[in-house]
Amino acid sequence: MAIYIVKRFFMMIATILIIATLTFFLMHSIPGSPFDEERTSNPTIQANLEKFYKLDQPTHVQYLYYLKSIATFDFGPSIKKPNDSVNKLLARGFPISLELGMVTIIVAVLSGITLGTFAALRHNGIIDYAAMAFAVVGISVPNFVLATVLIQQLAVNWNLLPPATWSSPLHMILPTLALATGPTAIIARLTRSSMLEVLTQDYMKMARAKGLSPMRIVLRHALRNALMPVVTIMGTMLAGILTGTFVIEKIFAIPGMGKYFVESINNRDYPVIMGSTVFYSAFLVFMLFLVDIVYGFLDPRIKLHRKEGEA
């Protein structure tokens, strides 16, 4: 296990470096300058600004400065918010984005597993058909479309929930619903199909023959094995949810990292774009690593296969 962790660690470093390199050269391949909208008749001001942010240096020199900022985790000041550093923006916005993402994941996992389990246990029944209809709609409708519908109906027409900002638990409901519907539908479909397959296995028939209660059979024997496909996609789903918060945060005026990221793209704020991209990449790669570890604990066959291979 120690060798595996070390290998995965170096793979994470390589992945982050590749993402950081691609981000840097893609940003610098776009024509123009972040100061194009601020050009004045005095070229000295323009030159001083570019010198301060090291944009007057050759591309390879800028790239070396960029790698140094990653190694020291100091991404420098924002171009459009010179009084704030990128680190301060991350410290200010990321906890809110993380909170929204974690609440969304918890809601999606619990709702999706419950819905998928009941659909499998009531196969070809009303609950099954209703759950799969919800899954089709949830997967088909983009979260930003669902967000506007929720705001219009629940906030504007019915005045049940606040439409925007992030100042109370009530403000979390609409953005969480908008983000969690799609993942809930995916998890429900995976859980249902996996549960249907598990329920037909021989060891399930043996458990019933022993006289175990249906609840114990489902929770202790069926559900654990049925969750393997769900755990497998949790890493990519987490990435999708956290990056999806950018758009949802903009729609609901949530002061998370999405607000600064979208603004930085519009303003071509290189330090914010590259710093937040590297930070999110490192976070997501680390979460993928944790998912692999959890997968190994849930499926003992992985450890058995590794031992047999070593033998």
Side-chain angles (χ1 to χ4, degrees):
M1 181 60 72
I3 296 176
Y4 173 74
I5 293 175
V6 171
K7 288 181 178 179
R8 285 304 308 269
F9 174 78
F10 284 107
M11 287 178 62
M12 287 191 294
I13 298 298
T15 302
I16 295 171
L17 182 60
I18 292 172
I19 294 174
T21 301
L22 289 175
T23 303
F24 176 86
F25 286 103
L26 285 174
M27 287 302 304
H28 283 74
S29 66
I30 302 174
S33 167
F35 308 107
D36 285 344
E37 297 180 357
E38 302 178 7
R39 291 187 182 276
T40 64
S41 57
N42 189 347
T44 305
I45 297 178
Q46 178 75 18
N48 288 336
L49 286 172
E50 293 183 350
K51 182 178 181 180
F52 178 78
Y53 291 101
K54 299 180 176 62
L55 298 179
D56 61 331
Q57 300 289 331
T59 303
H60 69 280
V61 176
Q62 295 183 48
Y63 178 66
L64 293 177
Y65 278 116
Y66 176 51
L67 293 181
K68 179 182 177 182
S69 69
I70 295 175
T72 59
F73 201 71
D74 182 8
F75 300 107
S78 166
I79 292 178
K80 296 300 179 179
K81 299 177 183 292
N83 294 327
D84 286 326
S85 66
V86 178
N87 294 50
K88 287 183 179 179
L89 296 179
L90 287 170
R92 187 185 307 159
F94 180 71
I96 297 176
S97 298
L98 181 62
E99 182 180 5
L100 176 58
M102 291 296 103
V103 172
T104 299
I105 291 172
I106 293 173
V107 171
V109 170
L110 294 180
S111 303
I113 292 175
T114 303
L115 196 60
T117 301
F118 277 106
L121 296 177
R122 298 293 185 268
H123 184 49
N124 290 332
I126 296 177
I127 296 178
D128 187 18
Y129 292 138
M132 291 305 97
F134 166 79
V136 171
V137 174
I139 295 173
S140 304
V141 179
N143 56 24
F144 58 87
V145 174
L146 182 60
T148 56
V149 173
L150 291 174
I151 292 174
Q152 180 64 38
Q153 297 300 322
L154 299 182
V156 178
N157 293 345
W158 296 347
N159 196 27
L160 297 176
L161 295 168
T165 68
W166 190 261
S167 56
S168 72
L170 288 177
H171 290 83
M172 300 174 62
I173 296 177
L174 289 184
T176 299
L177 288 176
L179 276 172
T181 300
T184 298
I186 295 174
I187 293 174
R189 286 178 63 90
L190 283 174
T191 303
R192 173 186 176 272
S193 60
S194 183
M195 181 70 76
L196 288 174
E197 181 181 353
V198 169
L199 291 174
T200 60
Q201 299 297 316
D202 292 338
Y203 67 89
M204 295 300 298
K205 297 176 182 178
M206 180 66 69
R208 296 190 191 97
K210 289 181 178 180
L212 298 179
S213 65
M215 182 67 68
R216 185 176 181 181
I217 291 174
V218 171
L219 295 180
R220 185 169 182 176
H221 298 281
L223 191 57
R224 177 176 179 177
N225 293 311
L227 289 181
M228 298 308 299
V230 177
V231 176
T232 303
I233 67 165
M234 280 305 298
T236 54
M237 184 171 291
L238 175 65
I241 289 176
L242 288 180
T243 53
T245 60
F246 288 176
V247 177
I248 296 301
E249 287 174 14
K250 191 68 175 178
I251 293 175
F252 288 97
I254 298 173
M257 198 58 216
K259 169 187 175 183
Y260 302 118
F261 189 76
V262 173
E263 289 178 353
S264 66
I265 293 177
N266 294 331
N267 297 326
R268 297 187 61 181
D269 195 336
Y270 292 160
V272 176
I273 294 174
M274 295 187 292
S276 57
T277 300
V278 171
F279 178 80
Y280 269 86
S281 300
F283 177 79
L284 294 176
V285 169
F286 178 72
M287 294 306 297
L288 289 172
F289 170 73
L290 291 183
V291 168
D292 287 343
I293 299 298
V294 173
Y295 194 87
F297 280 111
L298 287 178
D299 193 350
R301 292 173 297 181
I302 296 177
K303 297 178 183 178
L304 179 62
H305 176 73
R306 188 178 300 137
K307 290 179 181 179
E308 291 176 350
E310 292 175 353

Coordinates of all heavy atoms in Angstrom, one line a residue, residues 149-162:
V149 N -35.5 28.0 -13.6 CA -36.9 27.5 -13.4 C -37.2 27.6 -11.9 O -38.3 28.0 -11.4 CB -37.1 26.1 -13.9 CG1 -38.4 25.6 -13.5 CG2 -36.9 26.1 -15.4
L150 N -36.2 27.1 -11.0 CA -36.4 27.1 -9.6 C -36.6 28.5 -9.1 O -37.4 28.8 -8.2 CB -35.3 26.4 -8.9 CG -35.2 24.9 -9.1 CD1 -33.9 24.4 -8.5 CD2 -36.4 24.2 -8.5
I151 N -35.8 29.4 -9.5 CA -35.9 30.8 -9.1 C -37.2 31.4 -9.5 O -37.9 32.1 -8.7 CB -34.7 31.7 -9.7 CG1 -33.4 31.2 -9.1 CG2 -35.0 33.1 -9.4 CD1 -32.2 31.9 -9.7
Q152 N -37.6 31.2 -10.7 CA -38.9 31.7 -11.2 C -40.1 31.2 -10.4 O -41.0 31.9 -10.0 CB -39.1 31.4 -12.7 CG -40.4 31.9 -13.3 CD -40.4 33.4 -13.3 OE1 -39.4 34.1 -13.5 NE2 -41.6 34.0 -13.1
Q153 N -40.1 29.8 -10.2 CA -41.3 29.2 -9.6 C -41.3 29.4 -8.0 O -42.2 29.8 -7.4 CB -41.3 27.7 -10.0 CG -41.5 27.5 -11.4 CD -42.8 28.1 -12.0 OE1 -43.9 28.1 -11.3 NE2 -42.8 28.7 -13.2
L154 N -40.2 28.9 -7.4 CA -40.2 28.9 -5.9 C -39.8 30.2 -5.3 O -40.3 30.4 -4.1 CB -39.1 27.8 -5.5 CG -39.4 26.4 -5.9 CD1 -38.4 25.4 -5.4 CD2 -40.8 25.9 -5.5
A155 N -39.1 31.1 -6.0 CA -38.7 32.3 -5.4 C -39.6 33.5 -5.8 O -40.0 34.3 -5.0 CB -37.3 32.6 -5.7
V156 N -39.9 33.6 -7.1 CA -40.6 34.7 -7.7 C -42.1 34.5 -7.6 O -42.9 35.3 -7.0 CB -40.2 35.0 -9.1 CG1 -41.0 36.2 -9.7 CG2 -38.7 35.3 -9.2
N157 N -42.6 33.4 -8.2 CA -44.0 33.1 -8.3 C -44.6 32.8 -6.9 O -45.7 33.3 -6.5 CB -44.3 32.0 -9.3 CG -44.0 32.5 -10.7 OD1 -43.8 33.7 -11.0 ND2 -43.9 31.5 -11.6
W158 N -44.0 31.8 -6.2 CA -44.6 31.3 -4.9 C -43.9 32.0 -3.7 O -44.5 31.8 -2.6 CB -44.4 29.8 -4.8 CG -45.2 29.1 -5.9 CD1 -46.1 29.6 -6.7 CD2 -45.0 27.7 -6.2 NE1 -46.6 28.6 -7.6 CE2 -45.9 27.4 -7.3 CE3 -44.2 26.7 -5.8 CZ2 -46.1 26.2 -7.9 CZ3 -44.4 25.4 -6.4 CH2 -45.3 25.2 -7.4
N159 N -42.8 32.7 -3.9 CA -42.2 33.4 -2.8 C -41.9 32.5 -1.5 O -42.1 32.8 -0.4 CB -43.0 34.6 -2.3 CG -42.2 35.6 -1.5 OD1 -41.0 35.7 -1.6 ND2 -42.9 36.3 -0.6
L160 N -41.5 31.2 -1.8 CA -41.2 30.3 -0.8 C -39.7 30.4 -0.3 O -39.5 30.1 0.9 CB -41.5 28.9 -1.2 CG -42.9 28.6 -1.6 CD1 -43.0 27.1 -2.2 CD2 -43.8 28.7 -0.4
L161 N -38.8 30.7 -1.2 CA -37.4 30.7 -0.8 C -36.7 31.9 -1.4 O -37.2 32.5 -2.4 CB -36.7 29.4 -1.4 CG -37.2 28.1 -0.8 CD1 -36.7 26.9 -1.7 CD2 -36.7 27.9 0.6
P162 N -35.6 32.3 -0.7 CA -34.9 33.5 -1.3 C -34.2 33.2 -2.6 O -33.7 32.0 -2.7 CB -33.9 33.8 -0.2 CG -33.7 32.5 0.6 CD -35.1 31.9 0.5

